[in-house]
Amino acid sequence: MKRKIWFIGITAAVIIISGVWFVRPIFVNAHCDTMDGPVVITAKSALEKGDVTPVLKWVKKEYEDEIRAIFKKTLAVRGKGPEAKELADMYFFETLVRIHRAGEGAPYTGLKPVGAEIEPAVELADKSIEQGSADGLIKALNKHLEQGVKLRFDKVIESKKNADKSVEEGREFVEAYVDFVHFVERIHMDITSKSFHHGESEENGHEH
């Protein structure tokens, strides 16, 4: 039971922190498209070592040959001078990230610079991995879950008092009720269905 509560907290907080609501697809702007994100960091190391293997995990199997070919061309161009190296590297980074995001069903809008703002939920997740413990993450997420549920619940209870006094007040109650129920419903769906990639919309189903 305790473990299930943790999962509920994690799911809800990701929704709350990232500001992803039920009226639009789930396109979380995770840091895989930033210059200091894990994809580019892996790519930089791979280029320096001349070994493409580490970056292949970031793309689907069907894109592996394309990445291998571009990596080989990038290595060849890098040796033609500092400017050529910079251009070749950037082309490889952009291609790799674009293909990575395509594999997740996420849009690619270009590489963001070092230090670009990332979603708080992603930052919390990365920090927990660095620390080797999920305790702090679970505590933070459960706090957001509690706040999210209580905020919506209190609004429903308060608006219910005047729901029958007028059509306008009745609609306020219905709006609060729908928001609350959808919030709970979404949490339940996320913890009982298969996980999905951060670029995949709810309409496309769940697969993470």
Side-chain angles (χ1 to χ4, degrees), residues 82-106:
E83 186 174 334
K85 177 178 179 294
E86 182 179 350
L87 291 173
D89 285 4
M90 185 58 66
Y91 177 73
F92 180 68
F93 299 154
E94 290 179 339
T95 303
L96 177 64
V97 171
R98 175 177 57 77
I99 291 177
H100 164 69
R101 290 182 68 81
E104 296 185 325

Side-chain angles (χ1 to χ4, degrees), residues 3-188:
R3 185 177 179 183
K4 188 173 183 179
I5 292 175
W6 285 358
F7 281 130
I8 293 174
I10 293 172
T11 302
V14 169
I15 297 170
I16 297 167
I17 297 174
S18 63
V20 179
W21 305 102
F22 311 108
V23 296
R24 63 181 181 180
I26 306 170
F27 288 133
V28 180
N29 295 317
H31 58 335
C32 61
D33 61 351
T34 62
M35 284 298 293
D36 53 350
V39 180
V40 174
I41 287 176
T42 303
K44 288 180 178 179
S45 176
L47 287 171
E48 292 305 317
K49 296 177 181 178
D51 181 10
V52 71
T53 306
V55 304
L56 297 179
K57 62 177 174 287
W58 291 107
V59 300
K60 299 288 187 180
K61 186 175 180 60
E62 57 264 35
Y63 300 117
E64 185 175 318
D65 289 343
E66 182 179 353
I67 291 300
R68 286 182 181 277
I70 295 174
F71 185 84
K72 186 176 181 179
K73 290 178 181 178
T74 301
L75 289 180
V77 174
R78 292 179 102 227
K80 298 183 178 181
E83 186 174 334
K85 177 178 179 294
E86 182 179 350
L87 291 173
D89 285 4
M90 185 58 66
Y91 177 73
F92 180 68
F93 299 154
E94 290 179 339
T95 303
L96 177 64
V97 171
R98 175 177 57 77
I99 291 177
H100 164 69
R101 290 182 68 81
E104 296 185 325
Y108 174 68
T109 57
L111 281 176
K112 298 178 179 62
V114 172
E117 184 178 356
I118 64 172
E119 298 294 343
V122 176
E123 190 171 9
L124 282 171
D126 274 352
K127 189 174 182 179
S128 71
I129 294 172
E130 292 173 4
Q131 295 175 339
S133 172
D135 293 345
L137 173 65
I138 292 169
K139 183 178 180 180
L141 298 185
N142 277 325
K143 179 180 178 181
H144 281 282
L145 168 63
E146 181 179 350
Q147 292 173 344
V149 171
K150 191 174 187 308
L151 177 68
R152 289 164 178 78
F153 179 79
D154 288 349
K155 189 173 182 179
V156 171
I157 296 302
E158 186 62 31
S159 60
K160 184 179 179 182
K161 297 175 183 177
N162 302 312
D164 296 325
K165 290 185 178 181
S166 70
V167 174
E168 183 179 346
E169 289 176 302
R171 285 171 178 160
E172 289 180 3
F173 162 70
V174 171
E175 183 179 351
Y177 170 78
V178 170
D179 181 47
F180 173 67
V181 172
H182 282 185
F183 182 79
V184 175
E185 180 184 34
R186 172 59 180 278
I187 293 171
H188 180 263

